[in-house]
Amino acid sequence: MKLLDYTGKLNSHSEYLKIIKQLENKCTYIEYVLINEEETKFIEKFESLIMSLELKNKWWGTKSSQKSKIYKIKSSSDIFKYLKQFKTFCKYMVSNNGDIVEETDFGINDIAFFDDKDMPLLFTTTHEGYIVIRDDLFR
C-alpha cells in the first residue's frame, strides 16, 4: 500500500463520483474532523452511526496547535448517497498568482475513509485543498 498525493485531481464532479463509488465498496468507517465547529450537518444527519468522539490535535494529513473534534462514524450506504450530492471535497488549482483553494458545498471539515484494517483509503485537509488516496483504491 502506498499513499498518493491526489491534490487537484478531484476538481470535477465526475472524478469525485468515481472515487466515492470506490470508497463505498471498501470503506468500513469514516473519521470526520470539525474544523468549522458550526458545520455540523453531516454529524447531525449520521448521529446514530457515530462510534466515538475524541479531541485531538493530530489526524491523517494534519497536525494542529489546537484540538478538534474527531468523529469516528460507521460506514453506510446512506452516507455515500449523501456524499454524492456534493460537487467534490475541495478544488485546488495552480495559477500564475499561486495556488488557489476553492471551498465547495462540502465545506471545510476534513474527512478520512478507512478499510477494515484501520488503513486510510482517502483523507483530506479540505481547507488547504489537499487530498491523499491509497494507490490500490481502484483495484
Side-chain angles (χ1 to χ4, degrees):
M1 177 205 73
K2 184 177 170 190
L3 295 174
L4 305 172
D5 182 358
Y6 222 64
T7 301
K9 295 185 175 123
L10 284 187
N11 286 349
S12 77
H13 185 64
S14 61
E15 288 301 315
Y16 170 77
L17 289 177
K18 286 179 194 175
I19 292 288
I20 293 296
K21 183 178 179 181
Q22 293 299 336
L23 291 170
E24 184 174 8
N25 294 332
K26 297 181 179 187
C27 180
T28 303
Y29 69 92
I30 295 165
E31 285 185 354
Y32 189 80
V33 184
L34 281 188
I35 303 299
N36 178 350
E37 289 281 336
E38 295 174 10
E39 220 175 85
T40 59
K41 188 175 179 183
F42 184 86
I43 296 304
E44 292 166 7
K45 185 162 182 65
F46 300 107
E47 188 174 12
S48 65
L49 298 174
I50 294 172
M51 301 161 65
S52 66
L53 167 61
E54 293 183 76
L55 279 174
K56 291 184 178 179
N57 67 341
K58 188 176 181 184
W59 54 92
W60 279 97
T62 303
K63 185 174 183 182
S64 174
S65 58
Q66 61 183 346
K67 292 188 176 189
S68 294
K69 291 179 182 175
I70 302 176
Y71 293 86
K72 185 175 180 179
I73 304 166
K74 184 178 186 296
S75 181
S76 78
S77 58
D78 286 341
I79 287 176
F80 288 96
K81 183 178 179 183
Y82 177 78
L83 289 173
K84 288 174 185 174
Q85 76 177 337
F86 298 109
K87 292 176 188 171
T88 186
F89 296 120
C90 52
K91 291 186 177 184
Y92 183 93
M93 294 154 276
V94 178
S95 75
N96 293 337
N97 299 327
D99 298 352
I100 300 170
V101 177
E102 181 183 317
E103 184 180 329
T104 68
D105 51 350
F106 178 76
I108 67 165
N109 291 332
D110 292 350
I111 192 165
F113 301 84
F114 295 87
D115 67 12
D116 59 352
K117 295 176 178 63
D118 298 325
M119 297 303 296
L121 297 161
L122 178 147
F123 58 88
T124 71
T125 308
T126 311
H127 68 285
E128 293 178 5
Y130 302 138
I131 298 173
V132 174
I133 68 163
R134 205 163 81 193
D135 66 344
D136 64 348
L137 188 61
F138 288 104
R139 288 188 209 150

